[in-house]
Amino acid sequence: MQSPIGGGSGRCDMLSIVAPCSRCRMTKLSSAFATVVPKAAEQLLVEPFERWAEAIGLSQFDLLGHSFGGFVCTAWAARDSSKIRRLGLLSPLLGFSEERISRFTPKVGAPWQARLLHCVLEAAWTCHLTPQSIVRWVPGAKGWLERASKRRFQSFASDVTEEEGRLLSEYVIATMDMPSSTEHSATVCFEPFLRPAAVEGGTIKQRLARLQLPVFAVYGDRDWMDQAAPEE
C-alpha cells in the first residue's frame, strides 16, 4: 500500500482523520510551532501520521512525499523505518545548499537596499512569517501572486496552455489562502534561507543518507528545490 504525503502549503488532510476536531487541531499546531525546537517540530509533524498508519493497520507500505511532504516523510523514515518498504521523494524540500544560500547574502559593499531586504527576510523567518501569511494579511498580495504565478507556470513549464496556467495558479493561491496549519514548522525545521537545521542525528540530508532502505528522488528539469550534493 502506498501512503502519499503532499506539500505543506495547505491543510494536512490526514490530521483531520486522526484529530476529533481538525480546526482545533490546526490552531494548536500553528501556535505550538512558534515555541518549539526543530526536534519537537518534527515530532509534531510525524506523530499524527504514525498514529494514522497504526489506526488503519498499515504494516508494510511505500511512503511517497512531495515538496515539504518529502521532508516529513524523510523525518518519519529517520524516526522509524521498520514498516516502510521504500521511500520516494518528489522535489523534496531538504534545504538549500550553502552555495545557494551564499547568493542570498549581501557581499561587502552591497547597496543598503540589498542589506535591508536581507535583514527583513531574516527577521520575518525568525518571527515565523511565511509566504502564506502575506497572502492572507497583505491587501492586494493575493491578486499579485496569482498573476505572477500564472506567468511563471506559462514561461517555465513546457506545453502549459493559458487555461492550464490559470488553473494551476488558482490552485496554488487557494492552498496558500487556507487557514494556517503546519506551514510554520518550516521556519522551525529550517534556519533562514532554508538552511537545514541540525538536530540529534544531524541535518535532514545527513539522516536521509543513513537510511537502510530503498530511496528514490525525482526532480524537474527546472526545479526550485536543490538536489543534495554527495558531500551533504
Side-chain angles (χ1 to χ4, degrees):
M1 181 174 182
Q2 292 186 346
S3 178
I5 299 179
S9 295
R11 300 171 79 91
C12 189
D13 291 336
M14 289 189 188
L15 287 176
S16 63
I17 300 175
V18 178
C21 174
S22 60
R23 182 170 295 275
C24 294
R25 175 69 174 172
M26 295 305 165
T27 302
K28 291 177 182 177
L29 281 172
S30 297
S31 59
F33 284 124
T35 58
V36 298
V37 296
K39 182 178 179 180
E42 289 187 15
Q43 181 176 331
L44 286 170
L45 288 168
V46 173
E47 280 189 347
F49 292 106
E50 292 177 327
R51 292 197 299 269
W52 168 80
E54 183 177 355
I56 66 173
L58 285 180
S59 56
Q60 291 290 308
F61 55 90
D62 301 332
L63 191 57
L64 182 66
H66 166 248
S67 188
F68 189 62
F71 171 86
V72 177
C73 288
T74 303
W76 184 353
R79 279 168 56 94
D80 181 12
S81 61
S82 59
K83 296 181 179 180
I84 302 173
R85 293 182 305 205
R86 286 176 291 270
L87 175 63
L89 304 173
L90 308 180
S91 296
L93 176 57
L94 302 177
F96 288 163
S97 65
E98 289 297 327
E99 187 276 331
R100 184 170 181 178
I101 293 173
S102 69
R103 299 203 298 266
F104 302 142
T105 306
K107 303 298 186 291
V108 176
W112 67 267
Q113 295 92 334
R115 299 196 303 272
L116 176 61
L117 177 61
H118 181 272
C119 290
V120 168
L121 292 176
E122 192 168 36
W125 191 270
T126 303
C127 294
H128 307 289
L129 297 178
T130 65
Q132 293 92 327
S133 304
I134 296 175
V135 170
R136 300 187 197 103
W137 298 346
V138 178
K142 182 177 179 180
W144 181 85
L145 281 172
E146 188 169 345
R147 293 189 296 273
S149 62
K150 180 181 177 181
R151 290 193 299 271
R152 179 178 177 84
F153 283 127
Q154 291 177 337
S155 60
F156 283 92
S158 302
D159 302 321
V160 173
T161 66
E162 182 175 353
E163 176 67 8
E164 290 170 337
R166 182 185 66 80
L167 293 173
L168 284 169
S169 175
E170 289 180 357
Y171 165 75
V172 169
I173 300 303
T175 58
M176 295 178 71
D177 195 30
M178 296 177 74
S180 63
S181 59
T182 58
E183 70 191 51
H184 302 289
S185 61
T187 63
V188 178
C189 297
F190 295 91
E191 297 175 6
F193 306 103
L194 288 181
R195 176 182 280 109
V199 300
E200 182 180 348
T203 67
I204 193 69
K205 295 178 181 179
Q206 293 167 340
R207 286 176 285 157
L208 173 62
R210 292 196 295 268
L211 288 178
Q212 300 297 311
L213 74 161
V215 179
F216 71 87
V218 178
Y219 292 87
D221 57 355
R222 298 180 183 179
D223 208 311
W224 79 282
M225 299 295 183
D226 273 354
Q227 299 186 40
E231 61 271 17
E232 295 179 297

